[in-house]
Structure formats: structure tokens, C-alpha cells
Amino acid sequence: MIPVTKPYLPSREKLNHYIDGIYERNWLTNNGPLVQELTRRLEDYLGVENLLLVTNGTLALQIAYHALGINEPVNDQPAQAITTPFTFIATASSLKWDGITPVFADIDPQTWCLEPNNIEAAITPNTRAIVPVHVFGNACDVEAIDCIAQKHKLKVIYDASHAFGVQYKGESLLKHGDAATLSFHATKLFHTVEGGAIVFKRKEDLERAKKMINFGLAGPDRIEELGINAKMNELQAAMGLCVLDEMEQNLAARAKIWLHYEEVLGKMLQLQAKSQSLDYNYAYFPVVFESEEQTLQVIATLKENGIQARRYFYPSLESVECLGAETSCSVSKDISGRILCLPIYIGLKLSEQKEIANIIRPILKLRDNE
Ligand SMILES: *Cc1c(COP(=O)(O)O)cnc(C)c1O
């Protein structure tokens, strides 16, 4: 079976070396030396400051909401955050879970990121924040979003789970917003088995978040505010340090697969329009078919050939009942119905070998049938 993605396993020898150190020190969690080392290494690699490692990408979002105070009610009513329906469920469910009402605005049909005019139209007196997603690593219209946020005094938290290492106009995309969050889940480009991080714009927000991930403790017997447990542990950090060492060759291998797909399929299928001045990370290869019927047909054919393609992102979140949305988002609904992410991972074999050719052939056949 060819899965849609595969976790990357780094050098076992190197991981063993880090684990030996953990055994020697007997320091397993609570801001240990490997967590500190990974924090420094990631800040350096990504070109950012104020990075905080946490347990996973969903808690990264939740800690960011709390550190920036957007969960506090407005006039005794739940705060609202404007977000996109075209994302993984965690972006919106984390808001709802924290008592913030997700308000969905529709996406741009080409970039699949939030359309700024739709954000502005969704603002109410109860809106506290905008939570856009750099979907599949594409950059949102950060300048326009910044403008709207300043004008209406809103916080911006980017769910940048897909944007590890992405550069925009020569700088890390993670520098935009009051905070940007990352997921280091096993299936992501860079991972720590489970894990995540928040990049804060301001040092004081980082300091507040540091207490929040450790039960609100400001010292052994001083509880300064309400907190939760969202600490990364030493074993997670060890995995991260190993994966980070192999990033360059991994990115090169992914780029090769991605560019091959683009060359063969780019002319016949709709691909995501990337924002200008983007230095992309080749994390996903989504394609959009002409109709939902065609999409389902391709899924079935690929499945017969032992290939898994994923309807990602489907369904469009404004239609998910437990999120309680009241809006309709026709662009997101349309793209969601027709999109598929094709397999991309380290070790997937290129065209001269069989694997990618097997993925592409049933898709090319669609065109011949027309
Ligand atoms: C993976 C992902 C998350 C959740 O991250 P976890 O580390 O799995 O908790 C949130 N948002 C987006 C867009 C994601 O892709």
C-alpha cells in the first residue's frame, strides 16, 4: 500500500545517543536540556524569536488564545474569532473547546486562504481575533490581514501548522501575526512524534505562555494565574533534534517529488495558486478535479491500485454540526468537494520506478476519457 503520507524516521544511532544522555541525566521533562537545545536550534533554523515548544499543535493554538486573552468574554458573551472553514478540524474545534465562537469567512478560490474582504464583513462587536491558516504552506494575505486587525483592534493568530520553514519576502512567514503556531505531529514535515510550537511577536506574551504551559506556576510555590499542562518532554525533543539534522536532504527529496507531480499534472488539474515571493516547503500536493463525481472516481481507482489519496480538507467546516456555524461558505464547500492530496513522503519512488507512475496513470486516464 502507498499511503498518503509516512512519518519520517531519522538516524536510529543518533536517537540512541540522545536517549543515552536522557538516561544519564534522569531529566525527562520540565524544560529539560534537550527542550532548551531544540528551542534554540529551531529559532535559529526558522529565523524567529520567542519560540515556545509545547505538547502538540492543538495546545499550541489554545495556549496562544489564552496568552493573548482572546478567550475572555465580550460584554458577558462568548468572544468570537474569525477563521477559515478550509482547514483541519483542530483550528476551529480548539476555539470552540475554549469557549470562543468560531465564525467562518470564505476563502479565496485560487489561494484557498481566507479572503480579506470576507474577514472584514464578518466582524461584529464581539470579535476579538482572526485565526487564519497558511493552508498547505501557502501565505495568507498577511498585509491585508494586518491592516484589518489594526483598524479593528483584533489579535491575529496564524495556524501555521503547514508552514514550517516557509519564507515570505525573504523572511520567515511565522513572523506575521501576534502569534503563529506549528504542529510537529508525526505526519508533518518536521516532527517530534507529537509536538508543537508557538512563535510570539512579543516577549511578554512568551513569558506569560511559559507559565501557562506549566500550570500557571511562577515558582515552586507561587501560582500566578490559571494554567494547564502543555510541556514538551525530552524524548519528543530528542526526536526533533534528530529530524532537524536531516531537514535539508528531506526538503530536497520532497521538492523532487512535488515538481515531478507538477510537471505531469499541472496543466490538466487545478493546483493551489501560491502567493508571490513565497519560498515553499513542498509539504503537500493537493489537486482539484472538475467535479466531486470525478474526485470520488479517482479515489476509487487509486484504492484499487493500493494507493491512498486523502480528501483533505473535507468536509468544509461550516457544515460540521458540533461547531455550530450559521454561515455558508460556497467557495470552501466547492473546493472541499473536489480536492485530493496525493501521496508525498520521503522514500516515495520517482517516475522511472513504479510508484509515482501508478499514482499518476489513473488521473491521466481521466483526460483520455473526455
Ligand atoms: C496538524 C494540524 C493541527 C493540529 O496539530 P496536532 O499537533 O496534531 O495537534 C492544527 N491545524 C492544522 C492546520 C493542522 O494541519
Side-chain angles (χ1 to χ4, degrees), residues 56-58 61 87-88 90-91 133 159 161-162 183-185 188 194-195 284 312-313:
N56 60 54
T58 306
L61 285 163
T87 179
F88 184 57
T91 317
V133 179
D159 182 340
S161 293
H162 302 166
S183 163
F184 301 154
H185 182 258
K188 301 293 203 290
E194 293 266 6
Y284 298 89
Y312 202 58
F313 296 100

Side-chain angles (χ1 to χ4, degrees), residues 271-285:
L271 306 184
Q272 182 180 33
K274 298 292 186 314
S275 60
Q276 283 183 346
S277 317
L278 191 79
D279 204 348
Y280 188 53
N281 65 6
Y282 304 101
Y284 298 89
F285 196 87

Side-chain angles (χ1 to χ4, degrees), residues 235-262:
L235 284 154
Q236 287 173 295
M239 179 61 94
L241 286 163
C242 294
V243 176
L244 192 58
D245 275 343
E246 297 175 29
M247 261 337 264
E248 289 314 317
Q249 65 251 41
N250 285 356
L251 286 172
R254 293 182 91 97
K256 228 166 145 181
I257 298 167
W258 199 100
L259 292 167
H260 179 72
Y261 273 140
E262 185 191 39

